[in-house]
Amino acid sequence: MNWESVIGLEVHAELATQSKIFCGCSTAFGQEPNTQVCPVCAGMPGVLPRLNRTAVEYAVRVGLALNCTITRYSKFDRKNYFYPDLPKAYQVSQLYAPICRDGHLAVEVDGTTKIIGIREIHMEEDAGKLIHDAVSDNTLMDFSRCGVPLIEIVTQPDFHSAAEVRTFLMQLREILLYLGVCDCKMQEGSLRADINISVRPEGGELGVRTEMKNLNSFKAIGRAIEYETRRQIQLLESGKQVVQETRRWDDDAGVSYGMRSKESAPEYRYFPEPDLLPIYIDDQWLQSIVENLPEMAEAKRARYMRCWGISALEAATLTSHVYVAQLFEEVAALSRNPMEAAHLVAGEIMRLMNQTDTLPEDLAVDAKKLATLITLVSSAKINRNAYKEAVEAVFIDGVDPEEYIAQRGLRMVSDADAIAEAVAAVITEQRQAVADYRAGQHKALGFLIGQAMRKLQGKGNPALVRKAMLEALE
Amino acid sequence: MLNMTALALAKAIRAKKLSVTEAVAEYIKQIEQTNPHLNTFLTVSKDTALARAQTIQAQIAAGEITSPLAGVPIALKDNISTLGIRTTCAAKMLENYVPVYNATVVDRLEQAGMIVIGKLNMDEFAMGGSSETGAYGTVRNPWDTERVAGGSSGGSAAAVAAGEVPLALGSDTGGSIRQPCAFCGVTGIKPTYGAVSRYGLVAYASSLDQVGSIGRTIDDCAAVLSLIAGPDDNDSTCVISKTFTFDTPLLERLAGFRIGLPRNYFAGGINADVAQAVLAAAKELAAAGAQVEEFDMPLMDYMVPAYYIIACAEASSNLSRYDGLKYGYRSPAAETLAEVYRLSRSEGFGLEVKRRIMLGSFVLSSGYYDAYYKKALQTRTLIKQAYDRLFERFDMILSPVAPTTAYKLGENVDDPLKMYMGDIYTVSVNLAGLPAVALPCGFDRQNLPIGFQLIGAAFSESKLVSAARTYQHRTSFHLQQPGGAWV
Ligand SMILES: [Zn+2]
């Protein structure tokens, strides 16, 4: 029998707002535990939430990019459960009137376009983190993450393979990055996905589904889908049933195990959050969100080509990742030479990224340093070879470009006497080539210039060397 | 001095007839004498209050504070968060909880130069109508210490009645300001939902809770309300900018005031003395020129059930944060996480609180949500609509506060249903988010105070206060003071 897997996703994205969703605390990652906490996010008795409008705007941005209907009267609900990382013992979320509904995203898999339905996007607050302290054998609580705004993007069960899921997630990630609403770092947990998965005979009735949690990388998601599909098929083929349950993926072991069955699923006792008014997004607010949408890849490509005459190919490369586009735009602005910046980022930088396996999100190269090099090469202070060498040193070691060029003596020789001396020496030494040139063999000129450059250790200003050589030959 | 109204006291302080320190010291002396008999105060912040008295005195002298209540002591129901002062909600769960922040209302009182002299006893987490459910003993009624003070703001009403403090803040979720005011013969205002910030009021039922004032006269209560009312960025449900104008001149005549009298509130379970006194209040207002007209209040049978379903549902969620982990009581017997939750909550909460948490959890659970919680919300909408229609006909509705006067200690504790039915006249006001004032209007044959309430449309506090002022101008029930062995 041919089996088909049916997969839906719940993608959690932490919104990159400066402050938390219901208080003024910072959302910065990686600070000391419990340093970004106030009475509100710590759930002290008597506190009340106040909604961060930017979080709403970010959620709406995602809804617009995913072709959703924006809910004009959206509401919050409380999801009640006890867990030490949840100081109020309820999470403010949206069950009955989520902020966005009924969207879709077209993804390209193996050359065919697939439409993935988006059931809804809802807003909620993140919980804190539990840290196990091995020394004292205690579990410690860090509430700094409590109240960081999250959106949960729930897809329809429209996927049938790990490859489709992976492509969708990559594309979704690019959209979130371009929208500037999430930094999408799966390792830090700012982008997380749960998978609902079931199998059925191809085209048959939907099977019993399981939900998989704790997926911390694209690779883990792919592996978990393949594992779970296999597990369910094996169960069914051996005449057993799939149990509806939540499972936890252990990426190190490459296996998942059951966490809780449907029967033991928690009773969340959802009800409307009385401490917050409904969010009303009127035409004016919606309009301003639309107007402030960041420029997406397609628009960037068009602008690069239109305004700066950058080729279609280079523009596509530059916008393949938002961080690459950002780097390019910074270098272009700092160097005031967009064309040269485009050649540099689309060419040498992309080559170096591939060579060093650097992911776009890990791009740490200093745009200012690259801009300095562009200025140096375009004002003929260094030649192309020196430029390329210095770019690599900046990319890999983060060297200071000016210092590096000085130390390596890469600055071009434009001194007329030094050039004249080198040219004179070549003319004396290379009698045959000089004779050839004078006899009309103009290609000998290249050889002679090359010899002069050699005497200048490759640093001669090519234009000046050429000019001096021609004059000497006349 | 203890007989003065708060406004008169402030005036005497401004006129330098009395110092702030003298006033504070005098009240603290009274508290120290009477509290052992009445159990109104859970915490007396004597040292901080006396220290603050000197600061405020200096500021008044320098003309830096000009509020009409500057220098006047006030006490707060112990569910109002006070920075550095223990806030227990009369619960074992929060026995040693000292807040790290002030409720908005506390900041506003202090900015106006009022002096917080202590925290008042109540029903545990404001759940109850007799101030008997708290973990620190029962509040006693100054008119008869063998009787309850009402609740849940029983400590607030009793303290004002006993002259321990000229003013107090309470909170009203289903009658918790008005009913103890009626039982103790004092005046109170339950403001419109959203008129006063709830930030720092330890939540019982978020969509119903409202902070309000309790005092000897309507003018004192209104003066406090003008200090604490107004939008607060920290409370999303307190956003409407309405300024109350309470300083209008006394109306000798209530000409043009249309008052509705719910005929069916006076049939059935109401005590005859109470009915008579409340009807007499209606006559008094009619004599002052108001147009009093009877009507039948709809949905009366659904008010108490809808209230308890909604209040308990919200409470079950609001009280989940008391989990034994972060602050408050943790069972010493607990070893596993599940035990920390189960034992801390089983041992840390009292019976009535547990009853309401269980009721609330039940009505929200899947399979019951639609049958109970959703129905209650629908009922709430119907009640709101009924009031909307009534306020097309009337400026205000005059009603009893409670069907009885203060009952004996322990009389109702084992009969929750009977206790809940005592809320019949008050809860619909909270369900509809309306303002109401409670005023003394007589005494029963055992010389226990009787109160009535005037209920208005949302944000009609100014009008309610006007009518109440005229009433108190024409009567002297609010000037009567209790006496007894404790005095
Ligand atoms: Zn915070």
Side-chain angles (χ1 to χ4, degrees), chain B residues 73-225:
Chain B
I74 187 165
L76 313 175
K77 189 177 183 180
D78 209 22
N79 60 352
I80 296 171
S81 186
T82 40
L83 171 66
I85 303 174
R86 195 172 77 119
T87 299
T88 67
C89 296
K92 179 179 176 184
M93 186 57 95
L94 291 179
E95 185 168 7
N96 298 312
Y97 168 66
V98 179
V100 295
Y101 76 104
N102 263 343
T104 298
V105 291
V106 176
D107 280 339
R108 289 185 180 174
L109 293 178
E110 293 197 332
Q111 275 154 25
M114 294 198 76
I115 292 155
V116 174
I117 61 170
K119 304 296 292 288
L120 296 159
N121 204 349
M122 53 189 279
D123 280 297
E124 183 182 357
F125 284 107
M127 298 180 187
S130 62
S131 297
E132 294 175 288
T133 69
Y136 309 105
T138 300
V139 179
R140 286 161 185 267
N141 193 316
W143 293 85
D144 177 351
T145 53
E146 292 309 305
R147 289 177 184 270
V148 301
S152 64
S153 310
S156 303
V160 170
E164 292 177 332
V165 70
L167 281 167
L169 290 190
S171 66
D172 192 317
T173 306
S176 282
I177 287 177
R178 291 160 286 157
Q179 185 255 29
C181 281
F183 278 17
C184 294
V186 293
T187 303
I189 304 181
K190 182 267 162 196
T192 307
Y193 185 81
V196 177
S197 169
R198 289 184 296 118
Y199 187 73
L201 171 67
V202 179
Y204 157 24
S206 313
S207 74
L208 302 160
D209 294 341
Q210 193 66 188
V211 176
S213 47
I214 295 175
R216 298 270 283 284
T217 68
I218 192 68
D219 286 327
D220 280 0
C221 292
V224 173
L225 183 56

Side-chain angles (χ1 to χ4, degrees), chain B residues 404-445:
Chain B
T404 66
T405 52
Y407 40 83
K408 292 264 191 204
L409 298 175
E411 195 179 312
N412 283 348
V413 278
D414 296 326
D415 191 349
L417 276 183
K418 195 173 166 199
M419 187 86 103
Y420 295 172
M421 285 317 289
D423 302 331
I424 179 76
Y425 303 128
T426 46
V427 292
S428 67
V429 170
N430 302 75
L431 288 170
L434 303 174
V437 298
L439 307 165
C441 64
F443 295 87
D444 70 1
R445 56 200 72 179

Side-chain angles (χ1 to χ4, degrees), chain A residues 20 22-26 36-42 146:
Chain A
K20 295 186 179 179
F22 299 127
C23 66
C25 291
S26 164
Q36 296 169 152
V37 181
C38 72
V40 176
C41 55
C146 287

